[in-house]
Amino acid sequence: MAMKRVPDWLNSSLWSTTPSDDRLHRYSPSPTTTTTTSAAVSEPTVRPPVPVPPPAPASIPQSTPTPPKSEIRDPVNKNINNNSNDNDQNGDSSAVSPDDISRQAQLLAELSKKVINMRELRRIASQGIPDGAGIKSTVWKLLLGYLPPDRGQWSSELAKKRSQYRHFKEELLMNPTEITRRLEKSGVCDNDKSKSESSGLLSRSHITHGEHPLSLGKSSIWNQFFQDSEIIEQIDRDVKRTHPDMHFFSGDSQLAKFNQDALKNILIVFAKLNPGIRYVQGMNEILAPLFYVFRNDPDEEMALLSGFRDHFCQQLDNSSVGIRSTITRLSRLLKEHDEELWRHLEVTTKVNPQFYAFRWITLLLTQEFNFADSLHIWDTLLSDPEGPLETLLRVCCAMLILIRRRLLAGDFTCNLKLLQNYPSANISHLLYVANKLRTQASG
């Protein structure tokens, strides 16, 4: 069988030159510290009404610390010590293109409508969401289905979901000592009420088998507590390692400590609500971008985790929704669009896609690009009406095609090293190629 010919568009000057669009230069590698778009976006001359922001979160239990005040759309802070040898792919977003200003105005206009046109919102957002006036947070909530298109329902929906999350925290994050205290107050130990209230402890004669710290019963709250301790310790370790180069997540500041506690609580709640999956290392990396964007509404950061949780379930690895099946789909996609490259990687040099694509897919590319670029990629992932997975596979395929010349010239060792340490990339260029793959497939 004759080898499938490389499409003509792959041989165009696109692969040897950088597009001249001003939008693309903002994501070119630069030694300067990354700043978010909002710090640089100037207000358009004529601006539609700013959408009414969601109401402030309802009051939380007194035991929960008040979040430190901060500008969530501040630049992505990097440690000063890393600036001299910063090898990541930070883009300089200080220069704002007219396209960004125009897109911001379009998004504001769409968000100002009584009922949001989701098809139009997805179309605009797929090109990237300028992070000004709280746009990214509101758009992501709509794209994830956290907010309904009808703005009149936002207040009630937010109140309902925040109340649900507070309930989860109270039920799932409470330690057994506090549970026994509450049982005492509810009248479980009426016969020894006065003594219990004065000492704060349950009388030995009234502690049931399930409430005893040494109980091994399946329904024992203490037994469950000790079983959860190991996974909670793992979550704590991973959260402390989340983006150590960003002051938002790391360090000794009050802001960083509060954010770490919030991340930890979210992951613990998710693990307990999903006992078949619980917590898998890497979930913290997926949560980080969501938490960063939704910092003012940190009650429901688990939407995307839920959508991709099958990739974290070992029992589903070999099923049609598991990670191995997804990697196989990526292999087929590459073969469809560039059979020469596919054959060189998987047949000639025997670079199994699992060696590199496992991390790309399970962590949604958060480890392959810097934080600001990851947010840009996620704008596109969340905007696709087909769902984020289809777009993610096209982006992964485009990543391979963008470095095809280096891959075709490499052997197993060189190619594996290159794919496990993906080089600096122009994100807008990458997303353009991924979209081109969609049109080529449909054509």
Side-chain angles (χ1 to χ4, degrees), residues 14 17-25 99 426 429:
L14 175 67
T17 60
T18 302
S20 59
D21 191 336
D22 289 340
R23 289 175 300 160
L24 308 188
H25 295 300
D99 285 337
N426 182 311
H429 189 183

Side-chain angles (χ1 to χ4, degrees), residues 417-433:
K417 182 177 180 180
L418 178 63
L419 293 170
Q420 291 183 344
N421 298 275
Y422 197 80
S424 299
N426 182 311
I427 301 303
S428 291
H429 189 183
L430 172 64
L431 295 177
Y432 168 82
V433 175

Side-chain angles (χ1 to χ4, degrees), residues 296-359:
N296 287 323
D297 286 309
D299 296 340
E300 181 67 19
E301 320 300 348
M302 299 177 291
L304 199 60
L305 279 174
S306 298
F308 281 84
R309 60 186 176 183
D310 289 341
H311 288 160
F312 291 100
C313 186
Q314 186 175 7
Q315 289 84 352
L316 296 177
D317 279 354
N318 295 314
S319 71
S320 61
V321 295
I323 183 61
R324 289 195 177 94
S325 174
T326 303
I327 292 176
T328 299
R329 289 171 60 190
L330 172 60
S331 175
R332 292 191 191 125
L333 190 63
L334 178 63
K335 184 177 181 180
E336 175 186 350
H337 291 285
D338 192 342
E339 186 172 350
E340 180 185 9
L341 179 57
W342 170 85
R343 188 174 300 279
H344 180 76
L345 285 176
E346 300 194 25
V347 179
T348 304
T349 61
K350 300 189 183 304
V351 177
N352 190 314
Q354 290 191 26
F355 296 159
Y356 59 89
F358 182 88
R359 186 176 73 180

Side-chain angles (χ1 to χ4, degrees), residues 259-279:
N259 291 339
Q260 288 180 2
D261 287 342
L263 288 171
K264 181 178 176 180
N265 287 341
I266 294 166
L267 291 169
I268 293 173
V269 168
F270 179 86
K272 291 192 174 185
L273 290 176
N274 296 270
I277 302 171
R278 308 201 75 184
Y279 173 77

Side-chain angles (χ1 to χ4, degrees), residues 1 5 7 55 61 135 140 145 172 225 283 350:
M1 179 181 295
R5 188 174 66 88
I135 292 178
W140 277 25
L172 301 175
F225 174 77
M283 287 182 175
K350 300 189 183 304

Side-chain angles (χ1 to χ4, degrees), residues 17-275:
T17 60
T18 302
S20 59
D21 191 336
D22 289 340
R23 289 175 300 160
L24 308 188
H25 295 300
R26 295 185 297 117
Y27 298 92
S28 300
S30 169
T32 58
T33 302
T34 301
T35 57
T36 56
T37 311
S38 65
V41 172
S42 58
E43 296 291 340
T45 305
V46 179
R47 187 180 59 168
V50 178
V52 178
S59 60
I60 54 180
Q62 294 182 356
S63 59
T64 304
T66 302
K69 294 181 179 180
S70 65
E71 282 293 334
I72 302 311
R73 291 175 293 279
D74 275 351
V76 179
N77 295 315
K78 299 286 182 180
N79 291 333
I80 297 177
N81 294 336
N82 292 339
N83 289 345
S84 60
N85 58 353
D86 186 7
N87 293 324
D88 64 12
Q89 308 140 33
N90 291 339
D92 183 4
S93 58
S94 59
V96 181
S97 71
D99 285 337
D100 278 339
I101 297 175
S102 173
R103 193 157 58 252
Q104 182 185 34
Q106 292 178 60
L107 287 168
L108 284 169
E110 191 60 46
L111 293 174
S112 299
K113 296 178 179 178
K114 182 178 180 180
V115 178
I116 311 300
N117 183 331
M118 291 302 299
R119 182 174 181 178
E120 180 65 10
L121 186 71
R122 290 181 185 277
R123 184 191 68 79
I124 303 171
S126 66
Q127 304 168 41
I129 305 171
D131 194 15
I135 292 178
K136 189 184 289 287
S137 175
T138 303
V139 173
W140 277 25
K141 288 173 187 174
L142 286 162
L143 296 176
L144 286 167
Y146 184 71
L147 288 177
D150 187 346
R151 289 183 59 202
Q153 299 177 16
W154 286 7
S155 296
S156 59
E157 284 296 313
L158 286 171
K160 180 175 68 176
K161 290 176 179 177
R162 287 167 176 161
S163 174
Q164 183 184 46
Y165 183 67
R166 284 196 305 274
H167 173 74
F168 285 151
K169 287 173 64 177
E170 292 173 0
E171 180 181 348
L172 301 175
L173 301 183
M174 191 183 304
N175 63 54
T177 300
E178 182 62 25
I179 293 176
T180 55
R181 290 179 190 275
R182 293 197 176 192
L183 288 174
E184 172 192 1
K185 291 181 179 180
S186 66
V188 174
C189 301
D190 289 336
N191 294 334
D192 199 25
K193 184 175 182 180
S194 59
K195 181 179 179 180
S196 298
E197 289 179 347
S198 62
S199 65
L201 300 174
L202 286 175
S203 173
R204 177 187 296 271
S205 61
H206 292 95
I207 296 178
T208 66
H209 177 70
E211 296 164 6
H212 196 285
L214 299 182
S215 172
L216 298 178
K218 292 184 178 180
S219 61
S220 169
I221 55 177
W222 279 100
N223 185 33
Q224 186 62 49
F225 174 77
F226 291 128
Q227 288 183 6
D228 292 339
S229 295
E230 182 178 351
I231 195 169
I232 292 174
E233 290 175 1
Q234 178 65 56
I235 290 174
D236 185 62
R237 288 193 297 268
D238 289 349
V239 164
K240 290 178 179 178
R241 291 195 292 255
T242 302
H243 293 287
D245 57 343
M246 291 179 62
H247 299 314
F248 181 86
F249 293 107
S250 182
D252 297 325
S253 68
Q254 183 185 5
L255 173 66
K257 289 182 179 298
F258 179 87
N259 291 339
Q260 288 180 2
D261 287 342
L263 288 171
K264 181 178 176 180
N265 287 341
I266 294 166
L267 291 169
I268 293 173
V269 168
F270 179 86
K272 291 192 174 185
L273 290 176
N274 296 270

